[in-house]
Amino acid sequence: MRTFVADCGVGNIHSIRKALEVAGLDVETVSDMSRLADADCVVLPGVGAFDAAMGRLAPHRSAVRERLSAGVPALGVCVGAQVLLERSEEGEGPGIGLVPGEVRFLQSETVPHMGWNTVEGEDPLLEGVGGSRFYFAHSYYCDPGDRSAVRAETEYEGFRFPSLMRSSNTVGVQFHPEKSADAGMAFLRAFAAFAEDVARSSHGLRLRAPRNLELVRWPCRPNRLITPRPSPSDAMIVIPAVDVLDHRVVQLVGGVPGSQRVDLPDPLETAMGWADKGAERLHLVDLDGAFGKGDNVDAFRSIIKECKALCQVGGGIRSEERIEEYVKAGADRVVLGTKAVEDPEWLRDMTGKFPGKIVLGLDTRGGRITVKGWREDAAVSVEEMFSLIQDMPLAGVLNTNVDVEGRSEGIDGAVASLFISHCPKPVTASGGASSLRDLQLLSQAGAEAAVVGMALYKGDMRPWEWERPWEV
């Protein structure tokens, strides 16, 4: 089945493409909009302005509308959903016009609406995820003339707006599923299953709920204390670490150069190996960049391009240009450490320019934030950083406990639990996990994910063999 992702020239499309591939779709990016008329499935992503998104689509709007009207499954995301309507208060030109109605400015005090919010609805694509939190970044919303097209709504500052609409087999969502952690991936898997069903069916234009769909809930609760998970169904994802030093994959003890207990020659081969074992996410760390002695950008670009796993990249990233380079290369998330801690206003600026793409790396040693490759303590405290980031549109916080990192002696459960419970953003925990029990403790504390290195490379942990691979 040919799934075409329309490159309308607005914003990064690599994240949604990667997420769709993980969801099981065979994806091709097209910039020639005339090709959409031959697609078996169409995805319209986008950030930015309505008219800009319609720029490439406008000459082919009639052909695209006819294709979608014929029942070809399609997904519009954010502005990609807005262009499905007839017009927008934001722009001057017409939309595709598949859905009667207009795109309107949000009737809220604080605009744009950025961050996690609840999606409530009964559409089959939300089976198991209705009421979950998804990531939003928008100033306008879809107002279809036919209210039966609205399948889910979201409330923001007392104003309710449609967050999921559907016309025939075209689905439009105001949230970004590719930025919405496991709830987003569950939604995309549901859409992929639906699209495959339509493609196989000789009649089949009726939207059906995907079979055997299981939601993995991450506790995305910005600005709240994270409480322990109430049931085993609320799983935490396990992410393999690919740390690169001198262009080789290493595992250091306590981050000390020369202490490596793992030394492998090929970062791409290593990353592909984890992806082949079913890992859906990879954590790439440029230790050369962190230590200020070069970088591994080319190697990481190759990994992002060749691996189907979603990649988050960190290590020595201190400029907007480097962030943009990784985002354009297709990185799902970019981890910022030293520069972000030392210059919180720069961090705020970067999260505004790359909403939902930035992870703040808060590495700790002895209860204090450590920076510059774990060689110095930061002047700011953990509590002060928590206060500073409360209203930033971060994808999350990565906490590495340097005291136990790489020692294969287990986590410090008390320290991890304290950090997770007080952090105002979703936490990915790293450092010391050497057993399933360690991961269970992190999951119960509320971590959304755990990065694991040494235990995987030594074979002490084999998550691909678990009943629920790579989940705890």
Side-chain angles (χ1 to χ4, degrees):
M1 184 182 73
R2 296 166 301 177
T3 298
F4 288 170
V5 175
D7 183 0
C8 298
V10 287
N12 168 53
I13 66 170
H14 297 285
S15 293
I16 185 66
R17 173 172 177 156
K18 285 282 188 180
L20 290 166
E21 288 175 342
V22 171
L25 290 174
D26 184 11
V27 180
E28 179 181 349
T29 302
V30 297
S31 55
D32 179 359
M33 298 298 109
S34 66
R35 296 188 61 197
L36 296 181
D38 299 320
D40 299 315
C41 179
V42 174
V43 177
L44 301 173
V47 294
F50 184 92
D51 281 350
M54 280 300 299
R56 291 183 183 176
L57 285 168
H60 310 283
R61 61 188 296 269
S62 295
V64 173
R65 183 173 63 246
E66 290 176 7
R67 186 66 173 162
L68 300 187
S69 296
V72 169
L75 174 65
V77 175
C78 196
V79 74
Q82 295 174 6
V83 298
L84 296 170
L85 275 67
E86 296 171 304
R87 67 191 70 85
S88 173
E89 292 181 349
E90 181 185 23
E92 298 180 357
I96 294 173
L98 178 72
V99 180
E102 187 170 0
V103 178
R104 303 185 187 279
F105 191 71
L106 275 173
Q107 302 301 303
S108 303
E109 182 177 349
T110 307
V111 177
H113 170 212
M114 299 182 69
W116 299 91
N117 208 337
T118 302
V119 173
E120 299 176 342
E122 301 298 330
D123 190 271
L125 290 181
L126 292 175
E127 182 175 326
V129 298
S132 294
R133 298 176 69 85
F134 292 79
Y135 190 84
F136 291 81
H138 65 112
S139 299
Y140 292 79
Y141 71 96
C142 297
D143 185 14
D146 181 1
R147 296 303 296 176
S148 67
V150 178
R151 300 305 179 93
E153 292 184 321
T154 294
E155 183 173 333
Y156 175 57
E157 294 185 346
F159 178 71
R160 293 184 70 85
F161 63 89
S163 48
L164 188 153
M165 62 181 184
R166 180 158 64 83
S167 174
S168 181
N169 289 319
T170 296
V171 179
V173 294
Q174 191 58 67
F175 55 86
H176 285 270
E178 77 279 12
K179 299 178 182 178
S180 298
D182 275 356
M185 283 307 306
F187 173 83
L188 289 176
R189 287 193 179 96
F191 176 78
F194 153 63
E196 293 282 359
D197 280 352
V198 171
R200 285 194 297 264
S201 174
S202 58
H203 308 289
L205 301 182
R206 183 173 64 88
L207 180 60
R208 299 190 284 117
R211 295 176 295 276
N212 301 321
L213 176 66
E214 183 176 6
L215 167 67
V216 180
R217 296 184 185 273
W218 283 4
C220 301
R221 303 185 181 97
N223 304 326
R224 303 185 189 181
L225 295 186
I226 297 177
T227 57
R229 289 182 167 82
S231 73
S233 65
D234 297 320
M236 178 189 74
I237 190 171
V238 178
I239 306 174
V242 181
D243 299 355
V244 180
L245 179 67
D246 294 329
H247 311 296
R248 300 173 67 87
V249 177
V250 300
Q251 282 291 293
L252 306 180
V253 177
V256 179
S259 65
Q260 48 260 50
R261 295 180 182 175
V262 172
D263 191 338
L264 302 173
D266 192 334
L268 177 59
E269 181 180 349
T270 301
M272 294 285 284
W274 294 127
D276 288 344
K277 290 182 181 295
E280 293 188 356
R281 291 180 179 270
L282 298 176
H283 179 64
L284 312 181
V285 182
D286 187 347
L287 292 175
D288 293 295
F291 295 144
K293 47 173 290 187
D295 63 63
N296 293 280
V297 174
D298 290 341
F300 287 178
R301 272 203 299 252
S302 296
I303 292 172
I304 294 167
K305 179 180 178 181
E306 299 297 331
C307 284
K308 286 191 174 182
L310 300 173
C311 297
Q312 64 181 32
V313 184
I317 300 175
R318 301 181 177 93
S319 70
E320 180 179 345
E321 292 73 23
R322 182 55 52 87
I323 297 170
E324 186 172 15
E325 183 176 11
Y326 277 129
V327 170
K328 286 185 175 179
D332 181 57
R333 296 175 178 179
V334 178
V335 182
L336 304 180
T338 298
K339 172 73 171 177
V341 171
E342 294 182 338
D343 189 353
E345 286 307 308
W346 177 79
L347 172 63
R348 182 178 298 278
D349 187 29
M350 293 303 99
T351 59
K353 291 180 177 179
F354 304 95
K357 303 295 289 184
I358 303 299
V359 173
L360 173 61
L362 289 183
D363 302 336
T364 52
R365 178 175 51 206
R368 295 196 58 82
I369 299 171
T370 180
V371 295
K372 298 182 180 178
W374 301 343
R375 291 170 295 179
E376 298 180 15
D377 287 344
V380 65
S381 71
V382 174
E383 292 77 9
E384 288 169 330
M385 283 304 302
F386 284 172
S387 177
L388 288 168
I389 67 174
Q390 281 200 27
D391 62 345
M392 294 186 191
L394 286 163
V397 171
L398 171 70
N399 173 232
T400 300
N401 184 348
V402 181
D403 292 321
V404 296
E405 167 67 15
R407 302 182 188 279
S408 299
E409 297 175 357
I411 66 167
D412 187 327
V415 169
S417 181
L418 184 65
F419 187 99
I420 294 166
S421 68
H422 286 79
C423 183
K425 303 294 181 182
V427 174
T428 296
S430 178
S434 58
S435 67
L436 179 58
R437 178 57 180 162
D438 286 333
L439 297 179
Q440 289 171 336
L441 290 173
L442 292 174
S443 179
Q444 291 165 7
E448 70 166 14
V451 173
V452 181
M454 191 75 76
L456 292 179
Y457 288 95
K458 291 175 62 180
D460 296 337
M461 197 181 296
R462 303 172 69 85
W464 57 92
E465 296 179 352
W466 296 344
E467 182 178 352
R468 297 176 63 181
W470 300 97
E471 294 178 359
V472 178

